Amino acid sequence: QVQLVESGGGLVQAGGSLRLSCAASGSIFRVNAMGWYRQTPGKQRELVAIIYSGGSTNYADSVKGRFTISRDNAKNTVYLQMNSLNSEDTAVYYCNVAATTLAAHVMGATAGDYWGQGTQVTVSS
């Protein structure tokens, strides 16, 4: 079982910056990918950024050049540095981790998908 704890959300003025953190804990054997999604009322949850085990990254067009995803493998933590924020970035941001638990590895099971509790980011305009 994997638990994700998010932090770093809050209220910021347009043009400002925030850094989100997501720490994964539990009996983790391997993390395959870590990413950030966001959701606003009436909208489907959308991918913001993702970083894979090999280090490659992918960003939504709307955040490319402004957001940077990074990770600390030793701490099983993923970060999202958000710069030049605008009102369109207002959303609940969710951390997602694809990971194999120790128990799953021992049993030869596949990796599971885990979600954080979400953190609110509000950009005032």
Side-chain angles (χ1 to χ4, degrees), residues 15-90:
S17 299
L18 286 173
R19 190 171 87 147
L20 306 183
S21 298
C22 175
S25 62
S27 185
I28 301 172
F29 174 75
R30 179 178 61 248
V31 173
N32 299 323
M34 309 183 83
W36 291 94
Y37 294 72
R38 66 186 182 187
Q39 188 169 26
T40 57
K43 297 289 186 179
Q44 194 173 30
R45 189 172 297 183
E46 64 176 357
L47 174 68
V48 177
I50 188 169
I51 184 166
Y52 298 94
S53 60
S56 62
T57 58
N58 190 32
Y59 296 91
D61 289 339
S62 59
V63 307
K64 194 172 184 178
R66 299 187 297 121
F67 291 10
T68 302
I69 188 170
S70 61
R71 66 186 181 187
D72 185 333
N73 291 335
K75 298 180 179 179
N76 282 331
T77 300
V78 63
Y79 307 93
L80 185 67
Q81 178 66 48
M82 305 185 293
N83 299 325
S84 301
L85 287 163
N86 58 64
S87 60
E88 300 300 315
D89 298 316
T90 295

